Amino acid sequence: MKLSLKVEYALRVLAQLGRYHGGPQLAHIEDLAEAEDVPSNYLVQILNELRNGGVITSRRGKQGGYALTNEPEAVSLFDVMRVIDPGLFANEPSRAGQSGSLVAEALNKIGASFEERAKEISIRDLMPRDAGPMYYI
Amino acid sequence: MKLSLKVEYALRVLAQLGRYHGGPQLAHIEDLAEAEDVPSNYLVQILNELRNGGVITSRRGKQGGYALTNEPEAVSLFDVMRVIDPGLFANEPSRAGQSGSLVAEALNKIGASFEERAKEISIRDLMPRDAGPMYYI
DNA sequence: GCTAAAGTTGAGTTCTTTACCCAACTTTGG
DNA sequence: CCAAAGTTGGGTAAAGAACTCAACTTTAGC
């Protein structure tokens, strides 16, 4: 399942934001980058897309940072992938050639079950079970 | 489900070879390319990989051509994808970062159901139901 | 109001992969 | 022997992936 690094990065970072969820502090780019081992310069782009996609919110300035928009259990991997890698779900296979339509139909079936599965897993599932919300005192 | 054109081409051509299956004639590159609307220069490569992967057999010289190695119902889309686009199933997601392993686990689950579905569909499913074997008299 | 710490924006870069093309070679039936 | 087929290996243009960088804006707190 050739998924892009970008998607992996996004999911790891969202899992990390999940740990911050419920706590009083916003997460900083540099902290996220370090905790999840993602190049911070690249992470900037990813966080931007997640914000434009409504998955996270941000605050500028001192005491700024990032947070999940919704509860971790309300955000599926599908939601994230749709924002980060839209081509993953958008593109229809071509129906050219004599067998084009039957092939397209078969590939769509596979794609549908992929999509379905991605909808069943949430950001909550990427967080350690035992950990409650993280408070930094 | 971002699948490569190459995979689509391969499936269309195999569907076409399915139509030849049971008949006395071998399929020629040019005929396959035209029937399934695949660039013949590129198709050469694809057929080569399918042969090296054991999915099809070939004969050289005059009266040469290509044919399926096995019955169409015995070849799954998974078998084809594994040969044409090995990276699709081979690569493990990285476990770096604090959330790496949970993310990898989740992505593997999605990958597994993708793989499973691909195994359930065969070349036979890409052929028109009503058509028996094609005989060219 | 300054200032330093944050996020914001947009452009640029390097590397790999994809989707091809082409020419020279080998095999084989008639 | 020769023409029609597959075989092999090289090459290439365009796109995408994975970053990097610099200049800008916002905001808390003194």
Side-chain angles (χ1 to χ4, degrees):
Chain A
M1 264 286 32
K2 183 182 42 190
L3 288 174
S4 64
L5 250 188
K6 197 177 181 183
V7 166
E8 286 184 37
Y9 286 163
L11 292 176
R12 295 220 298 264
V13 166
L14 287 171
Q16 189 68 24
L17 283 177
R19 298 184 182 205
Y20 280 80
H21 190 74
Q25 304 212 345
L26 296 178
H28 302 152
I29 290 188
E30 290 303 330
D31 298 341
L32 293 171
E34 195 179 350
E36 297 297 346
D37 197 19
V38 175
S40 65
N41 281 330
Y42 191 29
L43 183 53
V44 166
Q45 272 184 43
I46 295 174
L47 290 171
N48 233 286
E49 294 178 27
L50 288 173
R51 181 168 41 85
N52 293 335
V55 178
I56 63 179
T57 58
S58 63
R59 230 176 87 189
R60 287 186 162 195
K62 240 174 160 171
Q63 315 288 39
Y66 296 92
L68 293 179
T69 304
N70 304 300
E71 302 298 310
E73 41 276 337
V75 185
S76 70
L77 300 207
F78 173 77
D79 297 328
V80 178
M81 292 177 183
R82 177 165 19 89
V83 167
I84 289 298
D85 197 344
L88 246 189
F89 299 103
N91 62 2
E92 273 284 309
S94 143
R95 291 178 182 270
Q98 286 183 21
S99 308
S101 57
L102 281 174
V103 168
E105 206 181 304
L107 293 181
N108 281 337
K109 270 186 201 165
I110 300 184
S113 79
F114 171 78
E115 190 172 319
E116 208 177 303
R117 205 81 168 89
K119 283 178 180 165
E120 291 169 4
I121 305 179
S122 78
I123 298 297
R124 184 68 186 86
D125 298 319
L126 307 179
M127 297 162 53
R129 296 146 204 67
D130 51 338
M134 223 168 80
Y135 294 107
Y136 301 86
I137 330 186
Chain B
M1 261 286 34
K2 183 182 44 190
L3 288 175
S4 63
L5 250 189
K6 197 178 181 184
V7 165
E8 287 184 37
Y9 286 163
L11 292 177
R12 296 220 298 265
V13 165
L14 287 171
Q16 188 68 23
L17 283 177
R19 299 184 183 205
Y20 278 81
H21 190 72
Q25 302 211 348
L26 296 177
H28 302 151
I29 290 187
E30 288 304 329
D31 298 340
L32 293 171
E34 194 179 349
E36 297 297 346
D37 198 19
V38 176
S40 66
N41 281 330
Y42 192 28
L43 183 53
V44 166
Q45 272 183 46
I46 296 174
L47 290 171
N48 233 285
E49 294 178 26
L50 289 173
R51 181 168 42 84
N52 292 335
V55 177
I56 62 178
T57 57
S58 62
R59 230 175 86 186
R60 286 186 162 194
K62 242 176 159 168
Q63 315 288 38
Y66 295 92
L68 293 178
T69 304
N70 305 298
E71 304 296 310
E73 41 277 335
V75 185
S76 71
L77 299 208
F78 173 77
D79 297 329
V80 177
M81 292 176 182
R82 178 166 18 93
V83 166
I84 289 297
D85 198 344
L88 247 187
F89 299 103
N91 63 1
E92 273 284 309
S94 143
R95 291 179 181 269
Q98 285 181 22
S99 307
S101 56
L102 280 174
V103 168
E105 205 182 306
L107 293 181
N108 281 337
K109 270 187 201 165
I110 300 184
S113 80
F114 171 78
E115 189 172 319
E116 207 178 302
R117 206 82 168 88
K119 283 178 180 167
E120 291 169 4
I121 306 179
S122 76
I123 298 298
R124 184 66 186 87
D125 298 318
L126 307 178
M127 298 160 53
R129 300 148 202 64
D130 51 338
M134 225 167 77
Y135 294 107
Y136 301 86
I137 331 188

